[in-house]
Amino acid sequence: MDKKSDIGLIGLAVMGENLALNIESKGFTVSVYNRTISKVDKLIEGRAKGKNFIGTHSMEEFIKSIKQPRKIILMVKAGKPVDAVIDEIIPHLSKGDILIDGGNTYFKDTERRLKKVEEKGLMYIGTGVSGGEEGALKGPSIMPGGHKEAYEELAPILTKIAAQVKGEPCCDYMGPGGAGHYVKMVHNGIEYSIMQTIVEAYDFMKDVLNLSAKEQARLFSKWNDDVLGSYLIEITGKILAKVDKETGKAIVDLILDEASQKGTGKWTSQNAMDLGVPIPSIDAAVQARFISAYKTERVKASKILSGPEIEFAGDKDKFVEMVHDALYASEILAYAQGLSLLTEASKQYKFNLNIGNIAKIWRGGCIIRSKLLGSITEAYENNPELPNLLFDEHFSGILNTRQDALRKVVQMANKCGIPFMVTGTSLAYYDSYRKERLPANLIQGQRDYFGAHTYKRIDKEGIFHTEW
Ligand code: 6PG
């Protein structure tokens, strides 16, 4: 074989295939390989026909077809399949070759694999790739971490295939070890929180304000043109507008109310618990999905447990405006919590993360892309040491003027029995965070009472215990 490719890709499920097509479209020759060989042939004969692809039928052939030092992207299912491919591929590689895991891998797995690969004289990159199938094809947000030297080699390709915002690529080196996959995990945690706060707004407007899917579709589409402008608001409007051809009903009204999850939101919560960082809105978003999956029990409970009658006598348009502002505040609180986790993780894991740059590469391509991320980038550029987004003047200003709407909507939801797992929790996070004195004094009293765990005082130095 004379012609060699610039890069190889293993794993031709939709994300892998689309990413390969994206890379080729930017002027690179791509070698592809898949365990089920027919997928290679299907791609080569189909979407890749006439393009600069090298389809290969064995690992050996695949490796030989790539220019050295080889760059190989693994787009296989996160977990054991990644280990299996790495084990299979290592004996064929040469010093300096680079393996890139582009799946939603748990960051500690990436750190373990990086060490293993490093011992063989190879380099490793664990990268978050966000944007779903369309993003992979047209330009995702890319969050690579691992060997810096390997990133330098890959940058000319990765920065070209990434989404571009104002002439800048949505791709940058995150940090060493599992930093890239860590950042992607937190991206997904924020994604969970924003998705849930949006669906709570929808639920409120449906049951309290009696707005149909069609009416809400118009609202979300309008909101997408203002400060709420974001991918998730945009697609929510489109989903609400979609009518089922068979029944003539809004499809959303026909979808079973059980949310699935693949685990990245849960990992974010679990890790934040380990690090001791409060991200209650993300935790609540994960819990909201769990509760939704208890459909059978919920149906039974709905017959025996009572709640309030829904009574709404207020000004509908005014409330819609308040829902808008509550959503705005709650979304900001989701970013604030996720970014505070990144800030702390950066210290504890020595990732040396640049939060401003992370916000910047999230402005395009990824699922949580939004107008807000432009101002978040500025906030961290103005002060890279920001302990929490809420300390930035622009954002404290927004919260100060929107907290009242958030409070009123949460109150009305409570009054009407609408579950506000995330929106309500976001308000509680806000109120806890801004409170100089929390009732933790009494917790300390209780701990000291039953376990002599001691406490500190506000009026004098030292450690105290009381014989209660
Ligand atoms: C992305 C998404 C993606 C993830 C989905 C589904 O950034 O493109 O985060 O990586 O697969 O969000 O995740 P859940 O199944 O957990 O909802």
Side-chain angles (χ1 to χ4, degrees), residues 264-297:
T264 44
K266 184 186 75 179
W267 293 342
T268 312
S269 284
Q270 286 174 325
N271 181 261
M273 296 257 175
D274 287 343
L275 301 190
V277 182
I279 54 159
S281 301
I282 296 173
D283 301 338
V286 177
Q287 298 295 343
R289 290 201 192 185
F290 287 148
I291 289 203
S292 81
Y294 274 62
K295 175 78 178 177
T296 319
E297 278 183 40

Side-chain angles (χ1 to χ4, degrees), residues 104 129-132 184 187-188 191-192 260-264 289 367:
N104 267 334
V129 178
S130 178
K184 175 59 171 43
H187 165 283
N188 281 28
E191 172 185 304
Y192 272 51
S260 309
Q261 51 188 316
K262 295 204 197 78
T264 44
R289 290 201 192 185
I367 304 294

Side-chain angles (χ1 to χ4, degrees), residues 127 175 236 238 257 271 309 345 353 355 358 432-433 455 461:
T127 184
T236 301
K238 289 183 176 164
D257 53 327
N271 181 261
E309 286 296 316
L353 300 175
I355 309 292
I358 293 170
S432 300
Y433 195 71
Y455 56 87
E461 286 290 314

Side-chain angles (χ1 to χ4, degrees), residues 71-101:
K71 306 171 186 72
I72 299 170
I73 305 184
L74 314 178
M75 291 301 287
V76 298
K77 202 171 178 313
K80 288 208 174 88
V82 180
D83 287 307
V85 175
I86 292 177
D87 287 341
E88 191 186 344
I89 203 171
I90 280 180
H92 300 278
L93 297 178
S94 321
K95 202 166 178 291
D97 286 353
I98 305 166
L99 288 180
I100 306 122
D101 173 13

